[in-house]
Amino acid sequence: MPPLESSQRRHAPGPLLSERLSGLTMRPTRLQIALTLAGAAVIFAIDTFAPLDIEIAVLYAVIVIASANLLERRGILIVCGVCMTQTILSFAIVHGGAFESGPALRILISLCAIGVATMSALWNREAAESLSAQAALLDLTHDAIFVRDRNDLITYWNAGAEELYGWRRKEALGRNASALLKTRYPPSAGGAEQFADQSRWQGELVHTRRDGGEVLVVSRWSVQRDESGRPIATMETNSDITEQKHAEDALHQARSQLEHVGRISTLGELTASIAHEVNQPLAAVVTNGEACLRWLLRDEPNLEEVRIAVERMIGNSRRAAEVITRLRAMARKANPTRVALTFSDIVADVIPLIEREMMSNDVALKLDLQAPAQIVLGDRVQLAQVVINLVVNAIQAMSETGDRPKILSIRSGVSPEDPEARMAVLQIEDTGPGIDPEIAKRLFNAFSTTKPGGMGMGLSICRTIVESHGGSIAADTGNRSGALFTIRLPLLR
Ligand code: ADP
């Protein structure tokens, strides 16, 4: 199966619906103009030089209606004026100054017919223009919008659909929508049933584009009804979320990597108990060694006791060696690779992963990254994990702040204090509630958390990683209108 891809502009947009609707205002061809003029001239000639018993001037109304398909509002008014002038001119030529009520009534009817035709042409034009304006709006949106009738045949296809799926409007119109887009529903969608019940549906779908690539879309359906309420078509509005999905997956992956590092860095937390485990057998070795010496130094050395003590010493030494072996096996997994990099590189790696999380939590990002030359030696993945953890904590903290603006600031620079020991500095600040004083003192200890489902491992892992890079991490715990975390790493000289 081809991988999911996000849309790219591959086609120049085709003719817009607004353009099609404004077919009424398409430039008239010379032939059309000539025919209209000829029609008006013929009517004038017959009306003037071969007067019939019928009021031929009524036919000017046809000329006005025909011109409505060719001309703008001003043009229609000019045609109306010309037709009326010709009608009056013919009347003047044929009847001279003599006034007769019959012909006068007939010319009045003709003039009325031309007027009514003009007004109706102008109304039609207005309606077409308003429809065309609405259609132009549908073409402005980046969403892919199409309409399919009750037989699933596409009757409308906007510019966004052309862009997302790759088929031009004229290629898509009349095709079967499900077959064209090879629509696939996630098993839980229940689309058709819910749609039948409520005339509305929203969910995620997979569509196939013209080039065979698949796109994941959020699809919103609504039913269109005729005047008597019968469903006649379905309008689908589809937004491409393929890239967002990729970002979510990447974030998920980054989090599970963080958890993996968590397992490794619990080593730091476990150092004390590991030391205890190694100390115990070592102490036993010493005790047994001393006992062994005592048995040997007796007047009559008790070799059997010596053998037992030596066996115990060997056993305990093996236990200690096993603990060390386990420790080394765990440590090997961490296997950090150090390269020269800057905090800007790390932040650039992290932003795409957290963008979606920020957007859905309404968080604004303020970046102030200085001096790309501030190079440190570090493990790119581990340092990215530190930044992700701090950012995710900040976003979570700000989600509790209600209406206060949610701003995440990421700044980098160099600590100016001591020119000899200058460090690269990264600061991550939020506008959340700040650090709870309850846990301020043990913030970086494992299992310190104020979150109901929290593990309290994130910050402890961050500290382990930063310290293993020869740096430090600190939090401003006194500030109750936001938290500020500062990471310092030695500059590569
Ligand atoms: P967890 O997120 O699982 O609780 P962490 O080590 O990431 O573990 O964080 C420990 C605690 O530190 C959090 O529960 C929270 O109380 C506090 N904390 C961390 N970051 C922030 C922040 N940006 N604003 C306020 N409190 C924070």
Side-chain angles (χ1 to χ4, degrees):
M1 184 194 301
L4 289 178
E5 287 175 22
S6 68
S7 69
Q8 291 168 354
R9 276 180 191 269
R10 286 188 167 75
H11 294 268
L16 304 179
L17 179 68
S18 48
E19 287 163 8
R20 285 197 310 127
L21 281 171
S22 59
L24 296 174
T25 60
M26 276 194 308
R27 281 177 173 275
T29 61
R30 285 204 183 129
L31 181 67
Q32 284 170 321
I33 293 174
L35 283 175
T36 311
L37 289 176
V42 168
I43 295 170
F44 179 74
I46 296 174
D47 198 21
T48 313
F49 304 113
L52 303 173
D53 264 354
I54 53 159
E55 185 50 52
I56 193 89
V58 171
L59 291 180
Y60 281 125
V62 177
I63 299 293
V64 172
I65 289 167
S67 69
N69 284 340
L70 304 174
L71 301 172
E72 299 283 346
R73 189 185 160 80
R74 198 160 151 260
I76 297 171
L77 286 172
I78 292 173
V79 169
C80 164
V82 169
C83 289
M84 284 186 168
T85 311
Q86 287 191 181
T87 308
I88 294 166
L89 199 63
S90 294
F91 181 80
I93 294 170
V94 174
H95 300 284
F99 178 83
E100 288 173 53
S101 61
L105 192 66
R106 286 213 298 269
I107 185 187
L108 215 60
I109 291 171
S110 298
L111 291 175
C112 283
I114 296 169
V116 168
T118 306
M119 279 172 60
S120 125
L122 290 176
W123 279 332
N124 279 346
R125 163 131 318 281
E126 219 167 277
E129 274 169 6
S130 128
L131 200 56
S132 147
Q134 285 170 20
L137 282 182
L138 287 186
D139 275 330
L140 278 182
T141 170
H142 289 293
D143 287 338
I145 300 176
F146 62 86
V147 177
R148 48 188 167 81
D149 67 11
R150 297 193 66 190
N151 297 319
D152 214 23
L153 300 181
I154 296 168
T155 56
Y156 172 65
W157 187 259
N158 81 338
E162 289 190 334
E163 199 182 300
L164 178 61
Y165 300 121
W167 282 280
R168 297 286 189 90
R169 178 173 286 127
K170 59 175 185 278
E171 294 165 325
L173 292 181
R175 304 268 296 269
N176 183 294
S178 311
L180 185 71
L181 299 171
K182 300 194 183 87
T183 310
R184 283 198 291 121
Y185 301 86
S188 57
E193 301 84 49
Q194 194 190 340
F195 187 58
D197 283 357
Q198 302 168 4
S199 304
R200 270 172 185 284
W201 179 79
Q202 172 166 336
E204 289 181 8
L205 294 178
V206 176
H207 280 151
T208 303
R209 300 183 334 185
R210 183 184 199 150
D211 62 9
E214 291 191 327
V215 280
L216 183 69
V217 296
V218 168
S219 190
R220 288 175 291 277
W221 301 357
S222 42
V223 78
Q224 289 185 324
R225 297 179 185 280
D226 64 10
E227 278 148 18
S228 58
R230 272 183 319 198
I232 47 168
T234 302
M235 184 165 93
E236 266 194 40
T237 307
N238 297 310
S239 322
D240 182 6
I241 55 162
T242 316
E243 257 173 26
Q244 288 171 14
K245 200 75 183 169
H246 281 322
E248 265 175 26
D249 292 348
L251 184 59
H252 182 75
Q253 209 183 340
R255 279 192 176 147
S256 49
Q257 276 179 351
L258 188 66
E259 271 166 32
H260 174 68
V261 174
R263 260 182 284 131
I264 290 158
S265 70
T266 24
L267 267 183
E269 305 299 321
L270 293 176
T271 306
S273 68
I274 288 165
H276 179 72
E277 265 192 72
V278 178
N279 256 347
Q280 259 192 338
L282 282 182
V285 169
V286 172
T287 316
N288 281 297
E290 285 167 357
C292 194
L293 272 180
R294 277 200 305 277
W295 292 118
L296 279 175
L297 292 175
R298 282 192 171 192
D299 295 342
E300 256 181 59
N302 187 336
L303 290 184
E304 182 53 21
E305 289 294 343
V306 169
R307 189 185 61 80
I308 293 170
V310 170
E311 269 176 8
R312 282 204 202 110
M313 282 161 67
I314 294 170
N316 277 304
S317 303
R318 281 204 175 122
R319 243 179 74 201
E322 259 172 42
V323 174
I324 303 289
T325 311
R326 263 188 286 142
L327 198 64
R328 283 173 63 190
M330 278 173 83
R332 218 174 292 129
K333 275 189 209 155
N335 202 21
T337 44
R338 300 281 158 90
V339 292
L341 43 80
T342 67
F343 276 135
S344 306
D345 298 330
I346 304 292
V347 173
D349 285 353
V350 167
I351 285 176
L353 302 177
I354 49 143
E355 240 168 5
R356 175 127 201 279
E357 200 95 337
M358 285 199 300
M359 251 167 55
S360 57
N361 284 284
D362 224 359
V363 172
L365 178 65
K366 235 170 86 182
L367 281 182
D368 184 7
L369 303 175
Q370 285 172 10
Q374 307 311 327
I375 293 170
V376 299
L377 197 62
D379 183 294
R380 200 163 178 143
V381 175
Q382 285 191 340
L383 292 177
Q385 285 163 347
V386 170
V387 176
I388 288 179
N389 192 51
L390 295 179
V391 167
V392 169
N393 272 353
I395 295 172
Q396 284 175 351
M398 286 190 285
S399 67
E400 301 160 11
T401 51
D403 286 346
R404 230 176 34 209
K406 296 173 184 145
I407 302 165
L408 175 73
S409 310
I410 304 183
R411 297 184 288 272
S412 75
V414 168
S415 71
E417 300 103 53
D418 177 2
E420 272 314 293
R422 274 166 39 110
M423 305 279 257
V425 179
L426 182 74
Q427 291 195 308
I428 295 175
E429 187 170 19
D430 61 61
T431 54
I435 308 290
D436 189 334
E438 284 279 293
I439 61 153
K441 282 215 175 82
R442 48 194 170 85
L443 193 63
F444 292 96
N445 291 357
F447 312 121
S448 294
T449 181
T450 52
K451 299 173 194 165
M455 285 233 318
M457 288 303 297
L459 291 180
S460 120
I461 293 166
C462 289
R463 186 176 60 177
T464 310
I465 292 175
V466 173
E467 288 179 355
S468 74
H469 282 75
S472 67
I473 180 168
D476 178 358
T477 51
N479 190 353
R480 299 300 288 149
S481 61
L484 168 65
F485 285 85
T486 305
I487 299 170
R488 290 187 168 79
L489 289 184
L491 283 170
L492 187 65
R493 271 174 250 272

